[in-house]
PDB file of all heavy atoms in Angstrom:
ATOM      1  N   GLU A 171     111.108 135.503  69.143  1.00  0.00           N
ATOM      2  CA  GLU A 171     110.836 136.552  68.107  1.00  0.00           C
ATOM      3  C   GLU A 171     111.332 136.069  66.752  1.00  0.00           C
ATOM      4  O   GLU A 171     110.769 136.138  65.698  1.00  0.00           O
ATOM      5  CB  GLU A 171     111.463 137.886  68.533  1.00  0.00           C
ATOM      6  CG  GLU A 171     110.773 138.559  69.638  1.00  0.00           C
ATOM      7  CD  GLU A 171     111.477 139.735  70.067  1.00  0.00           C
ATOM      8  OE1 GLU A 171     112.680 140.024  69.665  1.00  0.00           O
ATOM      9  OE2 GLU A 171     110.917 140.537  70.942  1.00  0.00           O
ATOM     10  N   SER A 172     112.614 135.420  66.726  1.00  0.00           N
ATOM     11  CA  SER A 172     113.155 134.984  65.551  1.00  0.00           C
ATOM     12  C   SER A 172     112.333 133.854  64.984  1.00  0.00           C
ATOM     13  O   SER A 172     112.009 133.818  63.691  1.00  0.00           O
ATOM     14  CB  SER A 172     114.575 134.442  65.819  1.00  0.00           C
ATOM     15  OG  SER A 172     115.138 133.775  64.698  1.00  0.00           O
ATOM     16  N   LEU A 173     111.795 132.924  65.730  1.00  0.00           N
ATOM     17  CA  LEU A 173     111.003 131.872  65.245  1.00  0.00           C
ATOM     18  C   LEU A 173     109.614 132.435  64.679  1.00  0.00           C
ATOM     19  O   LEU A 173     109.100 131.998  63.719  1.00  0.00           O
ATOM     20  CB  LEU A 173     110.774 130.836  66.320  1.00  0.00           C
ATOM     21  CG  LEU A 173     111.986 130.058  66.660  1.00  0.00           C
ATOM     22  CD1 LEU A 173     111.653 129.174  67.971  1.00  0.00           C
ATOM     23  CD2 LEU A 173     112.335 129.109  65.484  1.00  0.00           C
ATOM     24  N   GLN A 174     109.088 133.439  65.434  1.00  0.00           N
ATOM     25  CA  GLN A 174     107.771 134.087  64.902  1.00  0.00           C
ATOM     26  C   GLN A 174     108.033 134.738  63.521  1.00  0.00           C
ATOM     27  O   GLN A 174     107.166 134.529  62.627  1.00  0.00           O
ATOM     28  CB  GLN A 174     107.312 135.058  65.928  1.00  0.00           C
ATOM     29  CG  GLN A 174     106.720 134.475  67.160  1.00  0.00           C
ATOM     30  CD  GLN A 174     106.298 135.504  68.193  1.00  0.00           C
ATOM     31  OE1 GLN A 174     106.720 136.701  68.051  1.00  0.00           O
ATOM     32  NE2 GLN A 174     105.570 135.133  69.134  1.00  0.00           N
ATOM     33  N   MET A 175     109.221 135.376  63.343  1.00  0.00           N
ATOM     34  CA  MET A 175     109.419 136.063  62.126  1.00  0.00           C
ATOM     35  C   MET A 175     109.617 134.947  60.967  1.00  0.00           C
ATOM     36  O   MET A 175     109.176 135.097  59.900  1.00  0.00           O
ATOM     37  CB  MET A 175     110.737 136.875  62.182  1.00  0.00           C
ATOM     38  CG  MET A 175     110.442 138.186  62.854  1.00  0.00           C
ATOM     39  SD  MET A 175     111.983 139.291  62.701  1.00  0.00           S
ATOM     40  CE  MET A 175     113.146 138.355  63.637  1.00  0.00           C
ATOM     41  N   GLU A 176     110.333 133.936  61.342  1.00  0.00           N
ATOM     42  CA  GLU A 176     110.536 132.841  60.351  1.00  0.00           C
ATOM     43  C   GLU A 176     109.188 132.224  59.972  1.00  0.00           C
ATOM     44  O   GLU A 176     108.895 131.959  58.765  1.00  0.00           O
ATOM     45  CB  GLU A 176     111.395 131.777  60.913  1.00  0.00           C
ATOM     46  CG  GLU A 176     111.695 130.512  60.035  1.00  0.00           C
ATOM     47  CD  GLU A 176     112.597 129.580  60.645  1.00  0.00           C
ATOM     48  OE1 GLU A 176     113.239 129.833  61.640  1.00  0.00           O
ATOM     49  OE2 GLU A 176     112.732 128.442  60.029  1.00  0.00           O
ATOM     50  N   ASN A 177     108.248 131.983  60.974  1.00  0.00           N
ATOM     51  CA  ASN A 177     106.930 131.524  60.688  1.00  0.00           C
ATOM     52  C   ASN A 177     106.183 132.407  59.750  1.00  0.00           C
ATOM     53  O   ASN A 177     105.477 131.916  58.802  1.00  0.00           O
ATOM     54  CB  ASN A 177     106.274 131.288  62.017  1.00  0.00           C
ATOM     55  CG  ASN A 177     105.070 130.348  61.849  1.00  0.00           C
ATOM     56  OD1 ASN A 177     104.838 129.623  60.918  1.00  0.00           O
ATOM     57  ND2 ASN A 177     104.169 130.449  62.885  1.00  0.00           N
ATOM     58  N   GLU A 178     106.168 133.681  60.044  1.00  0.00           N
ATOM     59  CA  GLU A 178     105.357 134.656  59.165  1.00  0.00           C
ATOM     60  C   GLU A 178     105.955 134.648  57.829  1.00  0.00           C
ATOM     61  O   GLU A 178     105.213 134.594  56.762  1.00  0.00           O
ATOM     62  CB  GLU A 178     105.484 136.029  59.790  1.00  0.00           C
ATOM     63  CG  GLU A 178     104.679 136.243  60.953  1.00  0.00           C
ATOM     64  CD  GLU A 178     103.194 136.019  60.771  1.00  0.00           C
ATOM     65  OE1 GLU A 178     102.639 136.468  59.719  1.00  0.00           O
ATOM     66  OE2 GLU A 178     102.497 135.331  61.618  1.00  0.00           O
ATOM     67  N   TYR A 179     107.315 134.604  57.537  1.00  0.00           N
ATOM     68  CA  TYR A 179     107.980 134.559  56.358  1.00  0.00           C
ATOM     69  C   TYR A 179     107.537 133.318  55.449  1.00  0.00           C
ATOM     70  O   TYR A 179     107.132 133.470  54.266  1.00  0.00           O
ATOM     71  CB  TYR A 179     109.441 134.565  56.424  1.00  0.00           C
ATOM     72  CG  TYR A 179     110.187 134.343  55.179  1.00  0.00           C
ATOM     73  CD1 TYR A 179     110.380 135.482  54.325  1.00  0.00           C
ATOM     74  CD2 TYR A 179     110.727 133.088  54.852  1.00  0.00           C
ATOM     75  CE1 TYR A 179     111.104 135.264  53.058  1.00  0.00           C
ATOM     76  CE2 TYR A 179     111.417 132.938  53.605  1.00  0.00           C
ATOM     77  CZ  TYR A 179     111.627 134.059  52.765  1.00  0.00           C
ATOM     78  OH  TYR A 179     112.225 133.831  51.654  1.00  0.00           O
ATOM     79  N   LEU A 180     107.482 132.250  56.116  1.00  0.00           N
ATOM     80  CA  LEU A 180     107.100 131.012  55.476  1.00  0.00           C
ATOM     81  C   LEU A 180     105.611 130.946  55.095  1.00  0.00           C
ATOM     82  O   LEU A 180     105.279 130.393  53.961  1.00  0.00           O
ATOM     83  CB  LEU A 180     107.452 129.723  56.364  1.00  0.00           C
ATOM     84  CG  LEU A 180     108.941 129.367  56.541  1.00  0.00           C
ATOM     85  CD1 LEU A 180     109.126 128.385  57.673  1.00  0.00           C
ATOM     86  CD2 LEU A 180     109.563 129.115  55.259  1.00  0.00           C
ATOM     87  N   LYS A 181     104.777 131.545  55.950  1.00  0.00           N
ATOM     88  CA  LYS A 181     103.386 131.669  55.549  1.00  0.00           C
ATOM     89  C   LYS A 181     103.164 132.572  54.335  1.00  0.00           C
ATOM     90  O   LYS A 181     102.413 132.177  53.423  1.00  0.00           O
ATOM     91  CB  LYS A 181     102.515 132.343  56.652  1.00  0.00           C
ATOM     92  CG  LYS A 181     102.363 131.297  57.859  1.00  0.00           C
ATOM     93  CD  LYS A 181     101.483 131.996  58.950  1.00  0.00           C
ATOM     94  CE  LYS A 181     101.174 131.110  60.141  1.00  0.00           C
ATOM     95  NZ  LYS A 181     100.518 131.835  61.136  1.00  0.00           N
ATOM     96  N   LYS A 182     103.888 133.765  54.252  1.00  0.00           N
ATOM     97  CA  LYS A 182     103.776 134.597  53.094  1.00  0.00           C
ATOM     98  C   LYS A 182     104.374 133.866  51.859  1.00  0.00           C
ATOM     99  O   LYS A 182     103.748 134.003  50.777  1.00  0.00           O
ATOM    100  CB  LYS A 182     104.472 135.872  53.362  1.00  0.00           C
ATOM    101  CG  LYS A 182     103.794 136.815  54.364  1.00  0.00           C
ATOM    102  CD  LYS A 182     104.549 138.061  54.611  1.00  0.00           C
ATOM    103  CE  LYS A 182     103.760 138.912  55.634  1.00  0.00           C
ATOM    104  NZ  LYS A 182     104.504 140.179  55.841  1.00  0.00           N
ATOM    105  N   LEU A 183     105.495 133.235  51.962  1.00  0.00           N
ATOM    106  CA  LEU A 183     106.079 132.510  50.866  1.00  0.00           C
ATOM    107  C   LEU A 183     105.113 131.369  50.332  1.00  0.00           C
ATOM    108  O   LEU A 183     104.973 131.282  49.126  1.00  0.00           O
ATOM    109  CB  LEU A 183     107.336 131.847  51.294  1.00  0.00           C
ATOM    110  CG  LEU A 183     108.047 130.982  50.252  1.00  0.00           C
ATOM    111  CD1 LEU A 183     108.570 131.948  49.061  1.00  0.00           C
ATOM    112  CD2 LEU A 183     109.309 130.328  50.771  1.00  0.00           C
ATOM    113  N   ASN A 184     104.400 130.717  51.267  1.00  0.00           N
ATOM    114  CA  ASN A 184     103.520 129.635  50.835  1.00  0.00           C
ATOM    115  C   ASN A 184     102.326 130.299  50.069  1.00  0.00           C
ATOM    116  O   ASN A 184     101.801 129.850  49.078  1.00  0.00           O
ATOM    117  CB  ASN A 184     102.925 128.907  52.042  1.00  0.00           C
ATOM    118  CG  ASN A 184     102.143 127.721  51.699  1.00  0.00           C
ATOM    119  OD1 ASN A 184     102.269 127.134  50.582  1.00  0.00           O
ATOM    120  ND2 ASN A 184     101.274 127.252  52.555  1.00  0.00           N
ATOM    121  N   ALA A 185     101.803 131.461  50.625  1.00  0.00           N
ATOM    122  CA  ALA A 185     100.679 132.205  49.881  1.00  0.00           C
ATOM    123  C   ALA A 185     101.095 132.631  48.496  1.00  0.00           C
ATOM    124  O   ALA A 185     100.352 132.467  47.563  1.00  0.00           O
ATOM    125  CB  ALA A 185     100.241 133.319  50.811  1.00  0.00           C
ATOM    126  N   LEU A 186     102.358 133.112  48.375  1.00  0.00           N
ATOM    127  CA  LEU A 186     102.858 133.517  47.058  1.00  0.00           C
ATOM    128  C   LEU A 186     102.928 132.389  46.063  1.00  0.00           C
ATOM    129  O   LEU A 186     102.536 132.422  44.927  1.00  0.00           O
ATOM    130  CB  LEU A 186     104.143 134.241  47.137  1.00  0.00           C
ATOM    131  CG  LEU A 186     104.094 135.653  47.784  1.00  0.00           C
ATOM    132  CD1 LEU A 186     105.518 136.147  48.079  1.00  0.00           C
ATOM    133  CD2 LEU A 186     103.349 136.621  46.877  1.00  0.00           C
ATOM    134  N   VAL A 187     103.369 131.212  46.564  1.00  0.00           N
ATOM    135  CA  VAL A 187     103.523 130.035  45.686  1.00  0.00           C
ATOM    136  C   VAL A 187     102.129 129.593  45.257  1.00  0.00           C
ATOM    137  O   VAL A 187     101.879 129.230  44.091  1.00  0.00           O
ATOM    138  CB  VAL A 187     104.249 128.940  46.449  1.00  0.00           C
ATOM    139  CG1 VAL A 187     104.203 127.618  45.810  1.00  0.00           C
ATOM    140  CG2 VAL A 187     105.742 129.313  46.705  1.00  0.00           C
TER     141      VAL A 187
END
Side-chain angles (χ1 to χ4, degrees):
E171 289 172 352
S172 173
L173 291 170
Q174 286 175 346
M175 286 190 295
E176 182 181 347
N177 194 19
E178 288 299 316
Y179 173 81
L180 292 173
K181 284 181 183 178
K182 287 181 183 182
L183 179 63
N184 189 29
L186 289 171
V187 169

